[in-house]
Amino acid sequence: GQGQLGFDACPDRRGTGSVKWDRYPADAGIQPMWVADMDVQSPPAVVEALRRRVDHGCFGYNVAAPPASVEAVRDYLAREHGWEVDAAAITFLPGVVQGLSVCTLAYSAPGEAVATPTPVYPPILANPRIHGRAPLALPMVPPPAPGAPWTFDFADWRARLRASKQAPRLLVLCSPQNPTGRVLTREELAEVAAVAEELDLVVCADEIWSDLVLEDGAKHEPLVKLFPDLAKRTVTLMAPSKTYNLAGLGIAFAVTPDADLRRAFRRAARGIVTQMSPLGYAGLEAAYNEGGPWRAELIDHLRTGREIIREHLRPEDAAATGLQLASTLEATYLAWIDVTDLELRDPALYFEEQAKIGFTADFGFGVKSGRQYVRLNYGCSHDDLRSALERLVAAATARMRELNG
């Protein structure tokens, strides 16, 4: 079942070194709903496995690919995604973000562009700059109407990729997509594959959200499983960290079936990605081998959270509140909310002060449309979510009255 306390209770996380909670002074009364970890305890099977490992008392250097961890990943990929992967294809990493860095170093050169659809998880856009490359945004098409999905304009992709003076060779695809919550369809993935083949791109597929699909009938398809021919140009990054709330354990992995691509990846990683913690491996094995029932309950919990968001952000209320849900909420536990009509200089700061909510601001997501957004993390108790949304709606409504005064 659920964690010791279930999904609607969480121990106080303040004072535990939590990035999410320690951003704000303890007495500020702000509900943090920004960085993507959840206010739930990890699965009991994970906690138990960590306890067993800690009781052993020896924490020496760990081998890079413990056979039990490799098998846990292979079983999980076969069981959950119908994807058969060779043991040799798996490289463990301390996180998907480090994997992005390794891909940037391995498959692009200084001064080149690295392409990615936007809006997107900020580290994906920041990564090229950190390593002396340039991000090339491939803007997604915003929803034409409330409740409609964000989409991709593949003709525009081709035009931008061909026109770039910086000759991109690397495309980073976030699938399922953060922050828009999209689960890419087979047709969309086929278009991505076609563009990669036509323009001879390496694809870095960040599929960290693949196990948190909430939409009935939507299914995450690993790009390489769907198009095996793409294996020679694709690295897939995954982790148990979002699904099982293990971000602090620092464990992720790359799947690179092609030997040449894998050699380049491991060469670029040398001396940077050295070894992971034995606790990370223990957590991953328990999550993938025993976490299935817990995950099913989590998805139910998040589906209810999704309904709570839809109740509070109805399209027919947008004229009064200035708030539009700009996400189909197909996957992830993140909601992307359009706050443009409120005409705020700094929406995140405004809601911190007026609604006591800590959102992720849209800086860094590559929003170029002139719209303004905040990202809300609903991986928390339903009570906390409801009260935050009530405060959000009240603050936004007050602001609209002020504007229309």
Side-chain angles (χ1 to χ4, degrees):
Q2 307 172 1
Q4 296 78 322
L5 294 174
F7 295 121
D8 267 313
C10 183
D12 190 349
R13 297 184 62 193
R14 287 171 298 199
T16 62
S18 157
V19 165
K20 185 181 188 179
W21 283 85
D22 289 3
R23 179 181 201 167
Y24 308 105
D27 57 3
I30 292 169
Q31 171 77 24
M33 307 185 93
W34 64 290
V35 73
D37 71 25
M38 295 183 283
D39 294 326
V40 304
Q41 290 178 311
S42 293
V46 169
V47 176
E48 197 42 54
L50 293 175
R51 200 172 277 133
R52 281 197 302 275
R53 185 63 190 80
V54 167
D55 284 345
H56 184 263
C58 296
F59 308 107
Y61 292 113
N62 219 93
V63 297
S69 296
V70 172
E71 284 316 298
V73 167
R74 292 182 67 206
D75 290 350
Y76 143 77
L77 290 174
R79 187 177 63 242
E80 296 296 333
H81 298 293
W83 188 17
E84 302 290 339
V85 167
D86 285 341
I90 296 163
T91 306
F92 288 101
L93 300 160
V96 162
V97 172
Q98 286 87 340
L100 294 170
S101 279
V102 174
C103 286
T104 298
L105 293 168
Y107 311 119
S108 71
E112 279 181 0
V114 176
T116 192
T118 54
V120 74
Y121 175 58
I124 290 178
L125 275 180
N127 196 281
R129 288 198 188 94
I130 292 169
H131 300 293
R133 280 76 165 159
L136 174 64
L138 306 172
M140 292 173 72
V141 182
W150 289 75
T151 52
F152 303 92
D153 179 345
F154 293 103
D156 183 64
W157 279 30
R158 288 178 171 87
R160 286 172 190 268
L161 287 160
R162 290 204 168 102
S164 169
K165 301 277 184 286
Q166 290 153 310
R169 283 186 297 165
L170 178 61
L171 169 71
V172 181
L173 182 73
C174 185
S175 166
Q177 219 273 343
N178 167 9
T180 65
R182 279 295 322 281
V183 176
L184 279 73
T185 62
R186 286 179 163 220
E187 294 71 24
E188 286 170 328
L189 292 167
E191 289 273 14
V192 172
V195 170
E197 295 278 5
E198 270 168 52
L199 296 172
D200 195 21
L201 304 173
V202 172
V203 181
C204 171
D206 168 0
E207 300 189 6
I208 197 168
W209 293 101
S210 55
D211 298 318
L212 289 174
V213 174
L214 307 179
E215 187 67 32
D216 270 338
K219 181 174 168 6
H220 171 76
E221 300 275 7
L223 185 63
V224 175
K225 182 216 128 183
L226 210 51
F227 303 104
D229 289 354
L230 229 56
K232 64 179 179 296
R233 57 175 74 253
T234 304
V235 177
T236 305
L237 301 175
M238 290 178 151
S241 51
K242 299 293 179 209
T243 312
Y244 299 99
N245 219 31
L246 311 178
L249 290 182
I251 191 79
F253 57 94
V255 181
T256 320
D258 183 80
D260 290 337
L261 220 51
R262 187 163 66 240
R263 261 193 298 278
F265 185 90
R266 290 181 178 167
R267 195 163 50 239
R270 209 177 285 158
I272 299 171
V273 174
T274 49
Q275 53 145 23
M276 272 47 74
S277 155
L279 297 181
Y281 290 115
L284 172 139
E285 289 164 23
Y288 283 156
N289 292 337
E290 304 171 64
W294 182 91
R295 188 190 77 169
E297 291 182 33
L298 172 69
I299 285 175
D300 281 345
H301 175 80
L302 295 175
R303 281 179 171 155
T304 303
R306 196 169 75 141
E307 294 319 308
I308 293 168
I309 291 170
R310 288 177 175 154
E311 278 162 30
H312 285 82
L313 301 177
R314 297 181 315 179
E316 57 269 35
D317 298 335
T321 65
L323 300 170
Q324 296 179 50
L325 181 57
S327 169
T328 38
L329 307 178
E330 295 161 53
T332 81
Y333 46 75
L334 305 168
W336 191 234
I337 301 169
D338 187 326
V339 296
T340 313
D341 292 348
L342 297 171
E343 298 177 23
L344 299 167
R345 206 173 48 79
D346 184 339
L349 186 64
Y350 181 83
F351 290 120
E352 218 171 277
E353 291 171 351
Q354 302 300 319
K356 298 288 188 220
I357 302 171
F359 284 127
T360 307
D362 67 6
F363 317 125
F365 283 87
V367 175
K368 290 282 190 291
S369 57
R371 311 290 301 169
Q372 277 184 311
Y373 302 89
V374 290
R375 194 187 72 176
L376 176 146
N377 169 347
Y378 58 99
C380 60
S381 79
H382 294 151
D383 286 348
D384 283 349
L385 179 58
R386 275 195 194 91
S387 69
L389 286 164
E390 282 161 16
R391 295 194 307 273
L392 170 64
V393 169
T397 306
R399 171 66 178 170
M400 287 302 278
R401 281 205 204 101
E402 206 177 284
L403 288 175
N404 299 327

